[in-house]
Every structure is written in C-alpha cells, then in structure tokens.
Amino acid sequence: MPGIVIVGVQWGDEGKGKATDLLGERTDWVVKFNGGNNAGHTVVIGDEKYALHLLPSGILTPGVNAVIGNGVVIDLEVLFSELGALAARGVDTSRLRVSSSAHVITQYHRTLDRVTERFLGKRMIGTTGRGIGPTYADKINRVGIRVQDLFDENILRQKVEGALDQKNHLLVKVFNRRAITVDEIVEDLLLYAERLRPMVADTSLLLNEALDAGDVVVFEGGQATMLDVDHGTYPFVTSSSATAGGASTGSGVGPNRLDRIVGIVKAYTTRVGSGPFPTELHDEQGDWLRSRGFEFGTTTGRPRRVGWYDAPITRYATRINGITDLVLTKLDILTGLERIPVCVAYDVEGTRVEEVPVSQSDFHHAKPILEYYEGWSEDISGARTFDELPRAAREYVLALEAMSGTRISVIGVGAARDAVIVRHDLVD
C-alpha cells in the first residue's frame, strides 16, 4: 500500500507532522503538495524540537526523499533559511527535490498580501501576510513565476514585466505605495538560481517511478479540510486544495495511486484567523485549553482560537477526503477535566442540524449541541496500548470514533515522538 495521503480534518495545526514522523523508516518519499510557508509543523525528536514551515516534515527522517511538489508556492528566502537552519543542526537535506513547475513567491506578492488585508478592514480574512494568496492568484491568472523560469533570465524578465504592469498601477493608485521595479525582482530571484538548480527535477516523474518500484510515498497536506479553497469555510480559507484531491493535482500523481487517506484530528478543535467556529470558547475554559495545549501558531506565534471537538466537521472531512483512518492527537491535553463536552450537532435558528450546513450564513449562526463525557485525571503520556488508557479515556475515544464515520487508528498521548498508541497500522 505505497500511496498514503495525510490531511488535516479541522482548520489546521492538528499534528500532521507527527503522523508523518510515525511512519518513519517505512517511508521512502514524503511530498508536500499544497500551500507555502503560511503553515507549520512542529516535530519533537528526543530533546530536540523542529519547527518547519515550508519543508515537508519527512526531511527529518534519515534516508527519506523529500519533495516540494508543483502545487506548492515557494518563498526562496524562507526555503534556504530553513535548509540552512537544519544543516546547522546536523540534518541531512541533500535528498530534497523541488518541482520545476512550482510557483515562486516574490516581493510584490508579499506586499500585495499585506496591503490588501489592511484594506479589507473588518472583512479581513486573517492571512499570514506571506504572499501565498496573491501568488496562487497569479498562477490562476497565468502571470505567475515558476521555479524553471529562474534558469532563463530573458523569460524571467518578460514574466516579471508582465506581472508588474498591472500590479504597479494597483500599488501606486489604490494603495498609495511605491512602484516596484522589474530589476529589483529579477535580481532578487536570480540570487537563488544556482543554489536551487541541483534540487530541481520533474518530481511527477520521480514520484510515479517510485510508486512503480513499490516505494512508500507519503503525501503531506498543508492547512486542512476546513481551509480548503473549495470545501472549507469560504472565504475564510487558504488559497490551495488542502484536501486529499489536492495530493494528485499538487504532485502529478494519479488518484488511483493513492491507497490510504489518513485524517489528522485533535481531541478538541482550534483555528487561526477569521471565520465561523461553532464550538469556540471565549471563557476561562478556552484560556485553560489554549495554555495547556500550547495553542500558538508555529509560523506566526499568534494565539489560536480554541473549542471542543466537533463531530459534524470530522464526518464532513471523512466524506470529502475519503478518509480511511483517523489519527487523534493531543488526547493528553484533556487530562484533568471532570467532564468533556463534544459537539454532536448544531442548532441553527432553532433547528437541529446533524451535518455541516451548506450555507455560510447558517454555519456562521450555528450553535453547538453538546454531549458530555466523563473525564479522567490519570497521566496518560506513558500509555502505549489502548488498554493502558483509563476507562473514561477509552470511552471518549470510542465515542468519537462512532461519530466520525471511520476508525481511529492512532492516538497521540504526548508531545514526544513515541507518545502514540497504534490501534491499526497505517501502512499494512
């Protein structure tokens, strides 16, 4: 079963890096297929903590081939900064390959992202301001800059000129900013060309050949289902396909090569940025959950919004992605609660709704219908089998499984690399 997709079930930050790391030595390739440096993975190995923003987390596993696919947008400064930081800590990054068709984030993308967000005022999306959205917009508008363009200065200059023709009018006349010159963009991008060249490849060909050879290829999604540009809480979403379907379009591997879809879901819920969040907590319980779970963005450091587990969202994500297995993370964070609320449905204007509302307005006004489960006080971080969990913790997991539409195969019980309980193998 060589093709495995890992996707977030909620609004991101569920612990996807931990799931990738769990596959460890059995993984031959790890592919990032969407997003950019607007999201992050935190991976703990022994006493070392690694915060990755652009690189797939599999790069930390010796012998694994890491790939940045064509569906990713790349900030080259961030890429080389991250590679340098890992190399300084003794991590071998020589196996990284970058798709020649991936799009590049430029200075004007970052500038437009920040000024546009401020211009929106109360209607702002809550982006990270790193130029992700404008780069994807240029991709769709067919005025984007791709990795391969850096190796032909004439083509690069022509493409930058075409992109800036319109953008400078917008920057100067609407946002009262200075015009950006073609020379400064071209010179900045060419600084990275020769360092980048050895990493660039036809990654679609490499991945298909790897699957033909029986290698295990893990497709690691950035962000999550509820941030997907098509299936998330639009317009409060990311700019790429963060669901399992994006693994095919973002890597050049056909969907019939994807054998298992693994969804990562927290034992509670978080999100960053604006948009509806039915189970959100605005009280002392929310502060406790945020502090105990250390819910602050890996990339931005900003506090995450927190709330209780939302079963309709998990069912929705299971359906949208075709999830075969769930990895339930951060179960240990709930230790110490006398009762644990779970959202089992919504109240929308007095009507009980069992699934995620199709209407944005309805979802915005949805109130959680909660059921309560007995909590536990025992430290569960040392548990390595399901039977070692306290009875109440087992019952909580089984209740979530029954509501979710698929099996919970792995349970995270701590921050350490080996703090997991495996109920069903993710590869076999």
Side-chain angles (χ1 to χ4, degrees), residues 25-40:
E25 296 176 356
R26 293 181 294 174
T27 302
D28 300 296
W29 298 75
V30 175
V31 186
K32 180 165 182 169
F33 62 81
N34 76 301
N37 58 306
N38 56 335

Side-chain angles (χ1 to χ4, degrees), residues 395-406:
E395 290 179 353
Y396 179 72
V397 171
L398 293 174
L400 300 190
E401 184 174 62
M403 300 176 204
S404 299
T406 193

Side-chain angles (χ1 to χ4, degrees), residues 226 230-234 276 316 319-320 346 348 353-364 366:
M226 300 307 290
D230 287 296
H231 303 292
T233 48
Y234 190 91
Y316 174 76
R319 183 171 70 250
I320 292 296
Y346 306 119
V348 180
V353 176
E354 301 285 341
E355 303 293 340
V356 173
V358 68
S359 160
Q360 175 188 336
S361 179
D362 285 349
F363 198 37
H364 179 75

